């Protein structure tokens, strides 16, 4: 209640994805289909991991956890955005905006940390194959997922408290299609320096931890791969790593583009395109990339289709 009483704004309005009414039907159908594919793909991935014992390994436990996060963080944004495409009034309450912001920040950060945990799993599997089951125990996998989530939801408290304790006493039009830091800070009628600092530090720490973990893991992985004498072994190692590298590259590049660069009005359209990519497209692409580039997943998927269809 204290946070709400400090501001005169009780509702926010979104500018939305586009001002063109001609594009609305196409965008609605396109993003609705993307969201359906996201749900089916990620639920399907989790079901495969749950049903088939051959996928009861640390790698696929982390992958199913990533699928769960993809479902949740896509659902925080996409349904609301779809409803606004069909509505003339694109509004959200102050509390609703704060909750959307909190859960989105938490889940995006969780995804980032899970991607780093998956790189560590690949490092252990390729560089220490004989000790893999001893190192990547069930408890270790659970701890990686739990602490990634805990740290992410904790840091999101700091970001949400910082942003929504600011006074919003002017325009309530958010130049975006969801509640995000840069467009929200533009609406504050006080200094946002400390919020920019908090956001920059938290994003940089989380991003640098992830990048360093991934860089070190793959440095050792590539050294081990080049030492292999078997071409088949090299191909298998590259195959299991390539899916993860593609997912990390797509996700991290768009996140860093949005949050770790100076903001100005001339980049608003680019911001929206980048945001669409990592909020809506990436959760759909992750299970597709792992399905199409992972031989084990393709084999199990073929078995499931023959068994149930």
């Amino acid at each position: 209640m204290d946070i709400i009483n400090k501001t005169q704004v009780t509702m926010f309005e979104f500018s939305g994805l586009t001002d063109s009414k001609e594009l609305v039907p196409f965008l609605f159908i396109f993003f609705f289909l993307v969201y359906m594919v996201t749900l089916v793909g990620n639920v399907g991935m989790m079901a495969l991991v749950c049903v088939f014992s051959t996928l009861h390994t640390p790698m696929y436990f982390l992958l199913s956890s990533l699928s769960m996060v993809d479902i949740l963080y896509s659902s925080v944004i996409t349904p609301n955005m779809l409803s606004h495409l069909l509505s003339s009034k694109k509004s959200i309450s102050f509390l609703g905006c704060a909750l959307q912001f909190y859960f989105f920040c938490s889940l995006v950060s969780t995804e980032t940390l899970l991607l780093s945990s998956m790189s560590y799993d690949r490092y252990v599997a390729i560089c220490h194959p004989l000790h893999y089951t001893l190192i990547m125990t069930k408890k270790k996998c659970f701890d990686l997922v739990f602490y990634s989530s805990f740290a992410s939801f904790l840091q999101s408290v700091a970001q949400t408290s910082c942003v929504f304790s600011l006074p919003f006493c002017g325009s309530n039009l958010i130049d975006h299609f969801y509640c995000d830091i840069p467009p929200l800070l533009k609406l504050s009628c006080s200094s946002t320096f400390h919020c920019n600092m908090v956001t920059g530090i938290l994003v940089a720490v989380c991003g640098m931890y992830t990048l360093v973990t991934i860089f070190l893991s793959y440095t050792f992985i590539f050294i081990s791969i080049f030492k292999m004498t078997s071409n088949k072994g090299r191909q298998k190692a590259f195959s299991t790593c390539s899916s993860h590298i593609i997912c990390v590259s797509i996700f991290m590049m768009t996140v860093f583009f949005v949050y770790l660069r100076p903001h100005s009005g001339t980049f608003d359209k680019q911001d929206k395109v980048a945001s669409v990519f990592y909020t809506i497209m990436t959760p759909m692409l992750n299970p597709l990339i792992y399905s199409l580039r992972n031989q084990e997943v393709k084999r199990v998927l073929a078995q499931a289709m023959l068994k149930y269809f």
Side-chain angles (χ1 to χ4, degrees):
M1 291 299 294
D2 290 340
I3 293 176
I4 298 176
N5 289 336
K6 289 179 182 178
T7 178
Q8 297 175 18
V9 172
T10 58
M11 297 286 292
F12 288 108
E13 300 283 338
F14 294 113
S15 64
L17 278 173
T18 180
D19 296 325
S20 173
K21 292 183 179 180
E22 290 77 14
L23 279 175
V24 167
F26 167 76
L27 290 175
F28 179 84
I29 294 170
F30 176 74
F31 288 120
F32 177 78
L33 292 175
V34 167
Y35 185 55
M36 289 299 102
V37 172
T38 299
L39 295 181
V40 172
N42 284 290
V43 170
M45 181 65 72
M46 293 168 62
L48 288 177
V49 173
C50 181
V51 171
F52 289 90
S53 58
T54 54
L55 300 183
H56 291 177
T57 64
M59 173 183 173
Y60 293 106
F61 173 77
L62 294 173
L63 182 56
S64 62
S65 299
L66 184 71
S67 291
M68 174 61 78
V69 173
D70 281 336
I71 291 171
L72 293 175
Y73 101 70
S74 177
S75 298
V76 169
I77 302 296
T78 310
N80 192 54
M81 183 267 289
L82 288 172
S83 69
H84 285 163
L85 281 172
L86 300 179
S87 174
S88 58
K89 190 175 182 181
K90 303 173 177 63
S91 61
I92 190 171
S93 68
F94 185 89
L95 181 59
C97 188
L99 288 173
Q100 184 187 65
F101 179 83
Y102 171 74
F103 284 108
F104 181 70
C105 285
S106 302
L107 293 165
V108 168
S109 180
T110 301
E111 171 125 347
T112 304
L113 295 177
L114 279 177
L115 289 171
S116 67
S117 298
M118 292 171 74
S119 70
Y120 172 73
D121 170 73
R122 292 299 82 208
Y123 156 73
V124 177
I126 294 173
C127 298
H128 304 283
L130 299 179
H131 299 94
Y132 181 67
T133 55
L134 296 176
I135 297 172
M136 296 300 295
T137 61
K138 288 183 179 180
K139 183 181 184 303
K140 183 72 165 288
C141 293
F142 177 81
D143 286 346
L144 286 171
V145 175
F146 174 78
Y147 288 117
S148 294
S149 303
F150 179 78
S152 299
F153 278 80
L154 190 63
Q155 67 86 26
S156 187
V157 170
Q159 290 195 64
T160 306
S161 300
C162 182
V163 173
F164 288 90
S165 63
L166 293 170
F168 297 93
C169 45
S171 172
N172 69 337
L173 179 64
I174 299 175
D175 189 17
H176 215 343
F177 60 93
Y178 68 97
C179 295
D180 200 9
I181 293 175
L184 277 168
L185 293 183
K186 289 181 181 179
L187 301 183
S188 177
C189 51
S190 68
S191 173
T192 60
F193 176 77
H194 68 288
C195 276
N196 282 317
M197 288 295 293
V198 169
T199 299
I201 290 170
L202 290 174
V203 172
V205 168
C206 184
M208 288 305 297
Y209 169 80
T210 301
L211 289 177
V212 169
T213 303
I214 292 171
F215 177 78
L216 291 176
S217 296
Y218 278 105
T219 298
F220 290 116
I221 285 171
F222 289 141
I223 290 173
S224 295
I225 289 175
F226 291 134
K227 288 182 179 179
M228 293 178 181
T229 55
S230 169
N231 287 331
K232 187 176 181 180
R234 286 184 180 180
Q235 290 177 356
K236 184 178 179 181
F238 275 123
S239 176
T240 58
C241 293
S242 61
S243 302
H244 181 256
I245 292 172
I246 293 171
C247 291
V248 169
S249 300
I250 293 172
F251 183 76
M252 297 301 289
M253 282 191 296
T254 52
V255 170
F256 283 169
F257 176 82
V258 173
Y259 294 107
L260 292 183
R261 66 172 179 80
H263 288 276
S264 68
T266 58
F267 289 97
D268 286 341
K269 290 184 179 179
Q270 289 93 323
D271 284 341
K272 287 185 181 182
V273 171
S275 297
V276 163
F277 213 83
Y278 83 85
T279 58
I280 300 173
M281 302 302 294
T282 301
M284 178 195 72
L285 292 174
N286 283 346
L288 293 180
I289 291 170
Y290 274 99
S291 298
L292 295 173
R293 297 188 63 84
N294 190 295
Q295 296 299 323
E296 184 68 16
V297 172
K298 285 195 288 187
R299 185 181 63 80
V300 168
L301 184 59
Q303 287 181 3
M305 293 178 69
L306 289 173
K307 183 177 180 180
Y308 296 105
F309 300 101

